[in-house]
Structures are given as C-alpha cells and as structure tokens.
Short mmCIF file of all heavy atoms in Angstrom, two decimals:
data_model
loop_
_atom_site.label_atom_id
_atom_site.label_comp_id
_atom_site.label_asym_id
_atom_site.label_seq_id
_atom_site.Cartn_x
_atom_site.Cartn_y
_atom_site.Cartn_z
N MET D 1 0.85 -1.19 0.00
CA MET D 1 0.00 0.00 0.00
C MET D 1 0.89 1.25 0.00
O MET D 1 1.85 1.32 0.75
CB MET D 1 -0.88 -0.02 1.25
CG MET D 1 -2.07 0.86 1.15
SD MET D 1 -3.17 0.62 2.56
CE MET D 1 -3.72 -1.05 2.32
N LYS D 2 0.58 2.17 -0.86
CA LYS D 2 1.45 3.33 -1.01
C LYS D 2 0.62 4.56 -1.35
O LYS D 2 -0.36 4.45 -2.08
CB LYS D 2 2.47 3.04 -2.12
CG LYS D 2 3.59 4.02 -2.23
CD LYS D 2 4.61 3.51 -3.24
CE LYS D 2 5.78 4.47 -3.32
NZ LYS D 2 6.77 4.03 -4.30
N VAL D 3 1.02 5.70 -0.83
CA VAL D 3 0.34 6.95 -1.15
C VAL D 3 1.12 7.65 -2.26
O VAL D 3 2.33 7.82 -2.16
CB VAL D 3 0.24 7.87 0.09
CG1 VAL D 3 -0.37 9.21 -0.28
CG2 VAL D 3 -0.58 7.18 1.18
N LEU D 4 0.41 8.03 -3.30
CA LEU D 4 1.04 8.66 -4.45
C LEU D 4 0.51 10.08 -4.63
O LEU D 4 -0.70 10.30 -4.56
CB LEU D 4 0.75 7.85 -5.72
CG LEU D 4 1.12 6.36 -5.66
CD1 LEU D 4 0.53 5.64 -6.86
CD2 LEU D 4 2.61 6.19 -5.61
N VAL D 5 1.42 11.02 -4.85
CA VAL D 5 1.02 12.38 -5.22
C VAL D 5 1.45 12.56 -6.68
O VAL D 5 2.63 12.56 -6.99
CB VAL D 5 1.70 13.44 -4.33
CG1 VAL D 5 1.24 14.83 -4.77
CG2 VAL D 5 1.38 13.21 -2.86
N ASP D 6 0.45 12.66 -7.54
CA ASP D 6 0.71 12.80 -8.98
C ASP D 6 1.19 14.23 -9.24
O ASP D 6 0.42 15.19 -9.15
CB ASP D 6 -0.57 12.51 -9.76
CG ASP D 6 -0.35 12.52 -11.26
OD1 ASP D 6 0.57 13.23 -11.73
OD2 ASP D 6 -1.10 11.84 -11.97
N GLN D 7 2.48 14.36 -9.53
CA GLN D 7 3.07 15.69 -9.72
C GLN D 7 2.58 16.38 -10.98
O GLN D 7 2.71 17.59 -11.11
CB GLN D 7 4.60 15.59 -9.72
CG GLN D 7 5.18 15.10 -8.40
CD GLN D 7 4.84 16.03 -7.23
OE1 GLN D 7 4.93 17.24 -7.34
NE2 GLN D 7 4.42 15.46 -6.11
N ASP D 8 2.00 15.62 -11.91
CA ASP D 8 1.42 16.25 -13.10
C ASP D 8 0.07 16.87 -12.79
O ASP D 8 -0.31 17.88 -13.38
CB ASP D 8 1.27 15.21 -14.22
CG ASP D 8 2.61 14.76 -14.76
OD1 ASP D 8 3.56 15.57 -14.71
OD2 ASP D 8 2.72 13.60 -15.20
N ARG D 9 -0.64 16.26 -11.84
CA ARG D 9 -1.95 16.80 -11.45
C ARG D 9 -1.83 17.88 -10.39
O ARG D 9 -2.60 18.84 -10.40
CB ARG D 9 -2.83 15.67 -10.90
CG ARG D 9 -3.46 14.79 -11.96
CD ARG D 9 -4.32 13.72 -11.28
NE ARG D 9 -5.09 12.97 -12.24
CZ ARG D 9 -6.35 13.26 -12.57
NH1 ARG D 9 -6.95 14.28 -11.99
NH2 ARG D 9 -6.99 12.54 -13.45
N CYS D 10 -0.91 17.70 -9.45
CA CYS D 10 -0.79 18.64 -8.33
C CYS D 10 -0.50 20.05 -8.85
O CYS D 10 0.41 20.25 -9.65
CB CYS D 10 0.33 18.20 -7.39
SG CYS D 10 0.65 19.38 -6.05
N GLN D 11 -1.31 21.01 -8.38
CA GLN D 11 -1.14 22.41 -8.79
C GLN D 11 -0.69 23.29 -7.63
O GLN D 11 -0.73 24.51 -7.72
CB GLN D 11 -2.45 22.94 -9.38
CG GLN D 11 -2.90 22.20 -10.62
CD GLN D 11 -1.91 22.35 -11.77
OE1 GLN D 11 -1.45 23.45 -12.06
NE2 GLN D 11 -1.57 21.25 -12.42
N GLY D 12 -0.35 22.65 -6.51
CA GLY D 12 0.16 23.42 -5.37
C GLY D 12 -0.90 24.12 -4.55
O GLY D 12 -0.62 25.15 -3.93
N HIS D 13 -2.11 23.61 -4.54
CA HIS D 13 -3.18 24.24 -3.75
C HIS D 13 -2.89 24.20 -2.25
O HIS D 13 -3.36 25.06 -1.51
CB HIS D 13 -4.52 23.55 -4.02
CG HIS D 13 -5.01 23.75 -5.42
ND1 HIS D 13 -5.40 24.98 -5.92
CD2 HIS D 13 -5.14 22.87 -6.45
CE1 HIS D 13 -5.77 24.85 -7.18
NE2 HIS D 13 -5.62 23.58 -7.53
N GLY D 14 -2.16 23.20 -1.80
CA GLY D 14 -1.70 23.18 -0.42
C GLY D 14 -2.69 22.70 0.61
O GLY D 14 -2.43 22.78 1.81
N ARG D 15 -3.84 22.24 0.19
CA ARG D 15 -4.82 21.77 1.18
C ARG D 15 -4.30 20.55 1.92
O ARG D 15 -4.59 20.37 3.10
CB ARG D 15 -6.14 21.41 0.49
CG ARG D 15 -6.89 22.60 -0.04
CD ARG D 15 -8.26 22.18 -0.50
NE ARG D 15 -8.93 23.26 -1.21
CZ ARG D 15 -10.11 23.15 -1.79
NH1 ARG D 15 -10.75 21.99 -1.75
NH2 ARG D 15 -10.65 24.16 -2.41
N CYS D 16 -3.54 19.73 1.24
CA CYS D 16 -3.06 18.48 1.85
C CYS D 16 -2.17 18.76 3.05
O CYS D 16 -2.41 18.25 4.14
CB CYS D 16 -2.33 17.63 0.81
SG CYS D 16 -1.07 18.53 -0.11
N TYR D 17 -1.18 19.62 2.90
CA TYR D 17 -0.30 19.87 4.06
C TYR D 17 -0.89 20.86 5.03
O TYR D 17 -0.43 20.96 6.16
CB TYR D 17 1.13 20.24 3.64
CG TYR D 17 1.31 21.16 2.46
CD1 TYR D 17 1.21 22.53 2.59
CD2 TYR D 17 1.60 20.62 1.21
CE1 TYR D 17 1.40 23.37 1.51
CE2 TYR D 17 1.78 21.46 0.11
CZ TYR D 17 1.68 22.83 0.26
OH TYR D 17 1.86 23.66 -0.82
N ALA D 18 -1.96 21.58 4.63
CA ALA D 18 -2.69 22.40 5.61
C ALA D 18 -3.51 21.49 6.53
O ALA D 18 -3.59 21.73 7.73
CB ALA D 18 -3.60 23.39 4.89
N ILE D 19 -4.09 20.44 5.96
CA ILE D 19 -4.94 19.53 6.75
C ILE D 19 -4.08 18.56 7.55
O ILE D 19 -4.35 18.30 8.72
CB ILE D 19 -5.89 18.75 5.81
CG1 ILE D 19 -6.86 19.71 5.12
CG2 ILE D 19 -6.65 17.66 6.58
CD1 ILE D 19 -7.67 19.07 4.00
N GLU D 20 -3.05 18.00 6.92
CA GLU D 20 -2.21 16.98 7.56
C GLU D 20 -0.72 17.32 7.40
O GLU D 20 -0.01 16.69 6.60
CB GLU D 20 -2.49 15.60 6.97
CG GLU D 20 -3.83 15.01 7.34
CD GLU D 20 -3.90 14.53 8.79
OE1 GLU D 20 -2.90 14.63 9.52
OE2 GLU D 20 -4.98 14.04 9.16
N PRO D 21 -0.24 18.31 8.16
CA PRO D 21 1.17 18.71 8.00
C PRO D 21 2.17 17.63 8.43
O PRO D 21 3.34 17.72 8.07
CB PRO D 21 1.28 19.96 8.89
CG PRO D 21 0.15 19.87 9.84
CD PRO D 21 -0.95 19.15 9.13
N ASP D 22 1.70 16.65 9.18
CA ASP D 22 2.59 15.55 9.56
C ASP D 22 2.73 14.51 8.45
O ASP D 22 3.61 13.65 8.51
CB ASP D 22 2.07 14.84 10.82
CG ASP D 22 2.13 15.74 12.04
OD1 ASP D 22 2.92 16.71 12.03
OD2 ASP D 22 1.39 15.47 13.00
N LEU D 23 1.85 14.59 7.47
CA LEU D 23 1.85 13.57 6.41
C LEU D 23 2.31 14.12 5.05
O LEU D 23 2.87 13.39 4.24
CB LEU D 23 0.45 12.97 6.24
CG LEU D 23 -0.12 12.25 7.46
CD1 LEU D 23 -1.52 11.72 7.15
CD2 LEU D 23 0.79 11.12 7.89
N PHE D 24 2.04 15.42 4.82
CA PHE D 24 2.38 16.00 3.52
C PHE D 24 3.18 17.27 3.74
O PHE D 24 3.01 17.95 4.75
CB PHE D 24 1.10 16.35 2.73
CG PHE D 24 0.27 15.15 2.37
CD1 PHE D 24 -0.68 14.66 3.24
CD2 PHE D 24 0.45 14.50 1.16
CE1 PHE D 24 -1.44 13.55 2.92
CE2 PHE D 24 -0.30 13.38 0.82
CZ PHE D 24 -1.24 12.91 1.71
N GLU D 25 4.04 17.58 2.77
CA GLU D 25 4.79 18.83 2.84
C GLU D 25 5.06 19.35 1.44
O GLU D 25 5.11 18.57 0.48
CB GLU D 25 6.13 18.60 3.56
CG GLU D 25 7.10 17.75 2.77
CD GLU D 25 8.46 17.67 3.43
OE1 GLU D 25 8.64 18.24 4.51
OE2 GLU D 25 9.35 17.03 2.84
N PRO D 26 5.24 20.67 1.32
CA PRO D 26 5.61 21.21 0.01
C PRO D 26 7.02 20.76 -0.35
O PRO D 26 7.90 20.73 0.51
CB PRO D 26 5.52 22.73 0.21
CG PRO D 26 5.53 22.96 1.67
CD PRO D 26 5.05 21.72 2.34
N VAL D 27 7.20 20.41 -1.60
CA VAL D 27 8.51 19.90 -2.02
C VAL D 27 9.25 20.84 -2.95
O VAL D 27 10.40 20.56 -3.32
CB VAL D 27 8.36 18.51 -2.69
CG1 VAL D 27 7.85 17.49 -1.69
CG2 VAL D 27 7.45 18.57 -3.91
N ASP D 28 8.60 21.95 -3.33
CA ASP D 28 9.30 22.92 -4.17
C ASP D 28 8.68 24.30 -3.97
O ASP D 28 7.72 24.46 -3.21
CB ASP D 28 9.28 22.50 -5.65
CG ASP D 28 7.87 22.37 -6.21
OD1 ASP D 28 6.93 23.01 -5.67
OD2 ASP D 28 7.70 21.63 -7.19
N ASP D 29 9.23 25.30 -4.63
CA ASP D 29 8.76 26.68 -4.45
C ASP D 29 7.36 26.91 -5.00
O ASP D 29 6.71 27.92 -4.69
CB ASP D 29 9.73 27.66 -5.12
CG ASP D 29 11.06 27.73 -4.38
OD1 ASP D 29 11.11 27.32 -3.21
OD2 ASP D 29 12.04 28.20 -4.98
N ASP D 30 6.88 26.01 -5.83
CA ASP D 30 5.53 26.14 -6.38
C ASP D 30 4.48 25.49 -5.49
O ASP D 30 3.29 25.53 -5.80
CB ASP D 30 5.46 25.51 -7.78
CG ASP D 30 6.31 26.29 -8.78
OD1 ASP D 30 6.38 27.53 -8.66
OD2 ASP D 30 6.91 25.65 -9.67
N GLY D 31 4.92 24.89 -4.39
CA GLY D 31 3.98 24.31 -3.44
C GLY D 31 3.50 22.92 -3.77
O GLY D 31 2.56 22.42 -3.15
N HIS D 32 4.15 22.29 -4.75
CA HIS D 32 3.78 20.90 -5.03
C HIS D 32 4.03 20.05 -3.80
O HIS D 32 4.93 20.32 -3.00
CB HIS D 32 4.58 20.36 -6.23
CG HIS D 32 4.25 21.03 -7.51
ND1 HIS D 32 5.11 21.91 -8.13
CD2 HIS D 32 3.13 20.99 -8.27
CE1 HIS D 32 4.53 22.38 -9.24
NE2 HIS D 32 3.34 21.83 -9.35
N SER D 33 3.22 19.01 -3.65
CA SER D 33 3.21 18.25 -2.42
C SER D 33 3.95 16.91 -2.52
O SER D 33 4.02 16.31 -3.58
CB SER D 33 1.75 17.97 -2.03
OG SER D 33 1.69 17.15 -0.90
N GLY D 34 4.47 16.50 -1.38
CA GLY D 34 5.04 15.17 -1.27
C GLY D 34 4.51 14.50 -0.01
O GLY D 34 4.19 15.16 0.97
N PHE D 35 4.41 13.19 -0.07
CA PHE D 35 3.94 12.41 1.08
C PHE D 35 5.16 12.02 1.91
O PHE D 35 6.15 11.53 1.37
CB PHE D 35 3.20 11.16 0.59
CG PHE D 35 2.61 10.34 1.71
CD1 PHE D 35 1.58 10.85 2.47
CD2 PHE D 35 3.07 9.07 1.98
CE1 PHE D 35 1.02 10.10 3.51
CE2 PHE D 35 2.52 8.30 3.00
CZ PHE D 35 1.49 8.83 3.76
N LEU D 36 5.09 12.24 3.21
CA LEU D 36 6.27 12.07 4.06
C LEU D 36 6.60 10.62 4.41
O LEU D 36 7.72 10.18 4.18
CB LEU D 36 6.11 12.91 5.34
CG LEU D 36 6.14 14.41 5.09
CD1 LEU D 36 5.72 15.17 6.35
CD2 LEU D 36 7.53 14.84 4.67
N PRO D 37 5.66 9.83 4.97
CA PRO D 37 6.03 8.45 5.30
C PRO D 37 6.32 7.64 4.04
O PRO D 37 5.76 7.89 2.98
CB PRO D 37 4.77 7.92 6.00
CG PRO D 37 4.05 9.13 6.48
CD PRO D 37 4.33 10.19 5.46
N ASP D 38 7.20 6.68 4.15
CA ASP D 38 7.58 5.84 3.02
C ASP D 38 6.41 5.04 2.47
O ASP D 38 6.28 4.81 1.30
CB ASP D 38 8.69 4.87 3.40
CG ASP D 38 10.03 5.56 3.39
OD1 ASP D 38 10.12 6.66 2.83
OD2 ASP D 38 10.97 5.00 3.97
N GLY D 39 5.57 4.57 3.36
CA GLY D 39 4.46 3.75 2.91
C GLY D 39 3.53 3.47 4.06
O GLY D 39 3.72 3.95 5.16
N LEU D 40 2.49 2.76 3.77
CA LEU D 40 1.51 2.42 4.80
C LEU D 40 1.40 0.91 4.89
O LEU D 40 1.42 0.22 3.88
CB LEU D 40 0.14 2.97 4.42
CG LEU D 40 -0.01 4.47 4.32
CD1 LEU D 40 -1.39 4.80 3.75
CD2 LEU D 40 0.14 5.09 5.68
N SER D 41 1.26 0.41 6.08
CA SER D 41 0.95 -1.00 6.20
C SER D 41 -0.56 -1.16 6.15
O SER D 41 -1.31 -0.22 6.37
CB SER D 41 1.50 -1.57 7.51
OG SER D 41 0.55 -1.49 8.52
N ALA D 42 -0.99 -2.34 5.85
CA ALA D 42 -2.43 -2.62 5.75
C ALA D 42 -3.12 -2.39 7.09
O ALA D 42 -4.33 -2.23 7.16
CB ALA D 42 -2.67 -4.04 5.28
N ASN D 43 -2.34 -2.37 8.18
CA ASN D 43 -2.94 -2.20 9.51
C ASN D 43 -3.07 -0.74 9.93
O ASN D 43 -3.60 -0.45 10.98
CB ASN D 43 -2.09 -2.93 10.56
CG ASN D 43 -2.09 -4.42 10.32
OD1 ASN D 43 -3.09 -4.97 9.91
ND2 ASN D 43 -0.97 -5.05 10.58
N ASP D 44 -2.58 0.16 9.10
CA ASP D 44 -2.63 1.57 9.44
C ASP D 44 -3.98 2.17 9.08
O ASP D 44 -4.07 3.09 8.27
CB ASP D 44 -1.51 2.34 8.73
CG ASP D 44 -0.15 2.05 9.32
OD1 ASP D 44 -0.10 1.69 10.51
OD2 ASP D 44 0.85 2.18 8.59
N ALA D 45 -5.04 1.66 9.69
CA ALA D 45 -6.39 2.08 9.32
C ALA D 45 -6.61 3.55 9.61
O ALA D 45 -7.22 4.27 8.81
CB ALA D 45 -7.42 1.23 10.04
N ASP D 46 -6.11 4.03 10.75
CA ASP D 46 -6.30 5.43 11.10
C ASP D 46 -5.56 6.34 10.12
O ASP D 46 -6.11 7.33 9.62
CB ASP D 46 -5.81 5.69 12.53
CG ASP D 46 -5.92 7.16 12.90
OD1 ASP D 46 -7.06 7.67 12.93
OD2 ASP D 46 -4.89 7.80 13.16
N LEU D 47 -4.32 5.97 9.82
CA LEU D 47 -3.52 6.74 8.87
C LEU D 47 -4.16 6.73 7.49
O LEU D 47 -4.24 7.75 6.81
CB LEU D 47 -2.11 6.15 8.82
CG LEU D 47 -1.02 6.95 8.13
CD1 LEU D 47 -0.92 8.36 8.69
CD2 LEU D 47 0.31 6.24 8.27
N LEU D 48 -4.65 5.59 7.11
CA LEU D 48 -5.31 5.44 5.81
C LEU D 48 -6.55 6.34 5.74
O LEU D 48 -6.79 7.00 4.73
CB LEU D 48 -5.69 3.98 5.61
CG LEU D 48 -6.03 3.54 4.20
CD1 LEU D 48 -4.89 3.83 3.25
CD2 LEU D 48 -6.36 2.06 4.20
N ALA D 49 -7.30 6.40 6.82
CA ALA D 49 -8.49 7.26 6.86
C ALA D 49 -8.11 8.72 6.74
O ALA D 49 -8.78 9.50 6.06
CB ALA D 49 -9.27 7.00 8.15
N ARG D 50 -7.00 9.11 7.38
CA ARG D 50 -6.53 10.50 7.29
C ARG D 50 -6.11 10.83 5.86
O ARG D 50 -6.40 11.90 5.35
CB ARG D 50 -5.37 10.72 8.26
CG ARG D 50 -5.81 10.72 9.72
CD ARG D 50 -4.63 10.59 10.67
NE ARG D 50 -3.70 11.70 10.57
CZ ARG D 50 -2.48 11.69 11.12
NH1 ARG D 50 -2.07 10.64 11.81
NH2 ARG D 50 -1.69 12.73 10.99
N VAL D 51 -5.41 9.91 5.23
CA VAL D 51 -4.98 10.14 3.84
C VAL D 51 -6.19 10.21 2.92
O VAL D 51 -6.25 11.04 2.01
CB VAL D 51 -4.00 9.04 3.39
CG1 VAL D 51 -3.70 9.20 1.90
CG2 VAL D 51 -2.71 9.11 4.19
N ALA D 52 -7.17 9.35 3.16
CA ALA D 52 -8.38 9.36 2.33
C ALA D 52 -9.11 10.68 2.46
O ALA D 52 -9.63 11.21 1.47
CB ALA D 52 -9.29 8.19 2.74
N GLU D 53 -9.13 11.24 3.67
CA GLU D 53 -9.76 12.54 3.89
C GLU D 53 -9.03 13.63 3.10
O GLU D 53 -9.65 14.47 2.44
CB GLU D 53 -9.74 12.87 5.40
CG GLU D 53 -10.16 14.26 5.77
CD GLU D 53 -11.66 14.47 5.72
OE1 GLU D 53 -12.37 13.46 5.69
OE2 GLU D 53 -12.09 15.64 5.72
N VAL D 54 -7.71 13.60 3.17
CA VAL D 54 -6.91 14.59 2.42
C VAL D 54 -7.13 14.41 0.92
O VAL D 54 -7.31 15.39 0.19
CB VAL D 54 -5.42 14.46 2.78
CG1 VAL D 54 -4.57 15.32 1.87
CG2 VAL D 54 -5.19 14.84 4.24
N SER D 55 -7.12 13.17 0.48
CA SER D 55 -7.33 12.88 -0.94
C SER D 55 -8.65 13.46 -1.43
O SER D 55 -8.72 14.06 -2.51
CB SER D 55 -7.30 11.37 -1.16
OG SER D 55 -7.58 11.06 -2.50
N ALA D 56 -9.68 13.34 -0.60
CA ALA D 56 -11.00 13.85 -0.97
C ALA D 56 -11.03 15.37 -1.03
O ALA D 56 -11.88 15.95 -1.70
CB ALA D 56 -12.04 13.34 0.03
N ASN D 57 -10.08 16.02 -0.36
CA ASN D 57 -10.04 17.48 -0.32
C ASN D 57 -9.09 18.09 -1.34
O ASN D 57 -8.99 19.32 -1.41
CB ASN D 57 -9.66 17.95 1.09
CG ASN D 57 -10.86 17.97 2.02
OD1 ASN D 57 -11.65 18.89 1.99
ND2 ASN D 57 -11.02 16.93 2.81
N CYS D 58 -8.37 17.28 -2.09
CA CYS D 58 -7.49 17.82 -3.12
C CYS D 58 -8.32 18.16 -4.36
O CYS D 58 -8.93 17.27 -4.95
CB CYS D 58 -6.40 16.81 -3.49
SG CYS D 58 -5.41 17.39 -4.90
N PRO D 59 -8.36 19.44 -4.75
CA PRO D 59 -9.19 19.83 -5.90
C PRO D 59 -8.72 19.24 -7.22
O PRO D 59 -9.49 19.21 -8.18
CB PRO D 59 -9.10 21.36 -5.91
CG PRO D 59 -7.98 21.73 -5.01
CD PRO D 59 -7.70 20.58 -4.11
N GLU D 60 -7.47 18.78 -7.27
CA GLU D 60 -6.95 18.21 -8.52
C GLU D 60 -6.99 16.68 -8.51
O GLU D 60 -6.53 16.05 -9.47
CB GLU D 60 -5.51 18.67 -8.74
CG GLU D 60 -5.31 20.18 -8.72
CD GLU D 60 -6.06 20.90 -9.84
OE1 GLU D 60 -6.34 20.27 -10.87
OE2 GLU D 60 -6.37 22.10 -9.66
N GLN D 61 -7.48 16.11 -7.43
CA GLN D 61 -7.51 14.65 -7.29
C GLN D 61 -6.13 14.04 -7.57
O GLN D 61 -6.00 13.04 -8.27
CB GLN D 61 -8.57 14.04 -8.23
CG GLN D 61 -9.96 14.57 -7.89
CD GLN D 61 -11.02 14.16 -8.88
OE1 GLN D 61 -10.72 13.87 -10.03
NE2 GLN D 61 -12.25 14.14 -8.45
N ALA D 62 -5.12 14.70 -7.00
CA ALA D 62 -3.74 14.28 -7.25
C ALA D 62 -3.25 13.19 -6.30
O ALA D 62 -2.22 12.58 -6.55
CB ALA D 62 -2.82 15.50 -7.14
N ILE D 63 -3.98 12.99 -5.20
CA ILE D 63 -3.52 12.05 -4.18
C ILE D 63 -4.30 10.75 -4.29
O ILE D 63 -5.52 10.73 -4.20
CB ILE D 63 -3.69 12.65 -2.78
CG1 ILE D 63 -2.88 13.95 -2.66
CG2 ILE D 63 -3.26 11.65 -1.71
CD1 ILE D 63 -3.20 14.77 -1.44
N THR D 64 -3.56 9.68 -4.50
CA THR D 64 -4.21 8.37 -4.61
C THR D 64 -3.52 7.38 -3.68
O THR D 64 -2.35 7.55 -3.31
CB THR D 64 -4.14 7.83 -6.05
OG1 THR D 64 -2.78 7.79 -6.47
CG2 THR D 64 -4.95 8.70 -7.00
N ILE D 65 -4.27 6.37 -3.32
CA ILE D 65 -3.74 5.29 -2.47
C ILE D 65 -3.66 4.05 -3.33
O ILE D 65 -4.67 3.56 -3.83
CB ILE D 65 -4.65 5.07 -1.25
CG1 ILE D 65 -4.77 6.35 -0.43
CG2 ILE D 65 -4.12 3.92 -0.41
CD1 ILE D 65 -5.86 6.31 0.62
N ASP D 66 -2.42 3.58 -3.51
CA ASP D 66 -2.19 2.39 -4.33
C ASP D 66 -2.23 1.17 -3.43
O ASP D 66 -1.37 1.00 -2.57
CB ASP D 66 -0.83 2.52 -5.01
CG ASP D 66 -0.55 1.34 -5.93
OD1 ASP D 66 -1.34 0.37 -5.93
OD2 ASP D 66 0.46 1.39 -6.65
N GLU D 67 -3.24 0.36 -3.62
CA GLU D 67 -3.40 -0.82 -2.75
C GLU D 67 -3.00 -2.10 -3.48
O GLU D 67 -3.37 -3.19 -3.05
CB GLU D 67 -4.84 -0.92 -2.27
CG GLU D 67 -5.25 0.28 -1.43
CD GLU D 67 -6.62 0.13 -0.81
OE1 GLU D 67 -6.83 -0.81 -0.04
OE2 GLU D 67 -7.48 0.96 -1.11
N SER D 68 -2.25 -1.97 -4.56
CA SER D 68 -1.84 -3.15 -5.32
C SER D 68 -0.82 -3.97 -4.51
O SER D 68 -0.15 -3.46 -3.63
CB SER D 68 -1.24 -2.74 -6.65
OG SER D 68 -0.03 -2.05 -6.45
N GLU D 69 -0.70 -5.21 -4.87
CA GLU D 69 0.22 -6.13 -4.19
C GLU D 69 1.65 -5.59 -4.23
O GLU D 69 2.36 -5.63 -3.24
CB GLU D 69 0.18 -7.50 -4.86
CG GLU D 69 -1.10 -8.26 -4.60
CD GLU D 69 -1.22 -8.71 -3.15
OE1 GLU D 69 -0.21 -9.15 -2.60
OE2 GLU D 69 -2.31 -8.59 -2.60
N SER D 70 2.05 -5.07 -5.38
CA SER D 70 3.44 -4.64 -5.55
C SER D 70 3.78 -3.44 -4.67
O SER D 70 4.94 -3.17 -4.41
CB SER D 70 3.71 -4.31 -7.01
OG SER D 70 2.87 -3.25 -7.42
N ALA D 71 2.74 -2.72 -4.22
CA ALA D 71 2.99 -1.53 -3.42
C ALA D 71 3.01 -1.86 -1.93
O ALA D 71 3.33 -1.02 -1.12
CB ALA D 71 1.92 -0.47 -3.68
N GLN D 72 2.73 -3.10 -1.56
CA GLN D 72 2.73 -3.44 -0.15
C GLN D 72 4.16 -3.57 0.36
O GLN D 72 5.05 -3.94 -0.37
CB GLN D 72 1.98 -4.75 0.08
CG GLN D 72 0.49 -4.58 -0.08
CD GLN D 72 -0.26 -5.82 0.34
OE1 GLN D 72 0.34 -6.83 0.70
NE2 GLN D 72 -1.57 -5.74 0.31
N ARG D 73 4.33 -3.22 1.63
CA ARG D 73 5.65 -3.28 2.23
C ARG D 73 5.79 -4.55 3.03
O ARG D 73 4.84 -5.03 3.56
CB ARG D 73 5.88 -2.11 3.14
CG ARG D 73 5.94 -0.82 2.36
CD ARG D 73 6.15 0.34 3.29
NE ARG D 73 7.28 0.06 4.19
CZ ARG D 73 7.81 0.96 5.01
NH1 ARG D 73 7.35 2.15 5.02
NH2 ARG D 73 8.80 0.66 5.82
FE1 LIG F 1 -1.24 19.45 -4.65
FE2 LIG F 1 -3.67 18.70 -4.08
FE3 LIG F 1 -1.95 19.10 -2.18
S1 LIG F 1 -3.10 20.12 -5.68
S2 LIG F 1 -0.55 20.67 -2.93
S3 LIG F 1 -1.82 17.53 -3.74
S4 LIG F 1 -4.09 19.67 -2.13
#
C-alpha cells in the first residue's frame, strides 16, 4: 500500500499539508506536495483514513492510495 502524489496533477493548492502537516509537505517553491512516510501498512487504518480525507479534499484529485500487491511493504 502506497500513497502517491501525482506531480502532473498537483497544482500546489496546499490543502493536503494544511490539513495533515505531519503527512504531507511542500517539495518545491511552487507548493507541489510530497507524502512524508515511506508507505503504509495494511494495519494503518487510522492513517489510511486520514490520507483518504486529504485525498477527498485535493481539488486536482492528485492524491491516490495504491493498494496493489506490488505496493505493499
Ligand atoms: Fe497538490 Fe492537491 Fe496538495 S493540488 S498541494 S496535492 S491539495
């Protein structure tokens, strides 16, 4: 399981790191976002819920949660 910030979609609106500054941060001067933790385990239900909330608030729908087998840690 992995959180992805699509840098082509992200326009630097900053809602993600405003809502969850412990999980997301700006990675450049344009405010594009990066996800801080390396990955999520399947047991991180609370963390997953927080990321899902942020994902729902991104106007560009740039934040996705990859739940494929290859993305599991
Ligand atoms: Fe980018 Fe969406 Fe955050 S546009 S800065 S990922 S709220």
Side-chain angles (χ1 to χ4, degrees):
M1 199 172 294
K2 191 172 182 181
V3 176
L4 306 169
V5 180
D6 185 332
Q7 296 299 316
D8 291 330
R9 282 181 172 266
C10 175
Q11 298 297 314
H13 294 293
R15 290 189 189 176
C16 50
Y17 40 83
I19 295 170
E20 289 287 359
D22 293 338
L23 299 179
F24 295 87
E25 69 174 2
V27 295
D28 60 24
D29 290 342
D30 294 325
H32 293 108
S33 176
F35 184 67
L36 292 169
D38 280 345
L40 296 172
S41 91
N43 295 324
D44 287 334
D46 177 63
L47 192 54
L48 196 57
R50 289 166 62 193
V51 173
E53 171 77 16
V54 172
S55 176
N57 278 280
C58 174
E60 305 297 335
Q61 299 172 336
I63 301 168
T64 56
I65 301 168
D66 183 353
E67 298 186 60
S68 66
E69 289 290 319
S70 61
Q72 287 188 357
R73 293 179 50 171

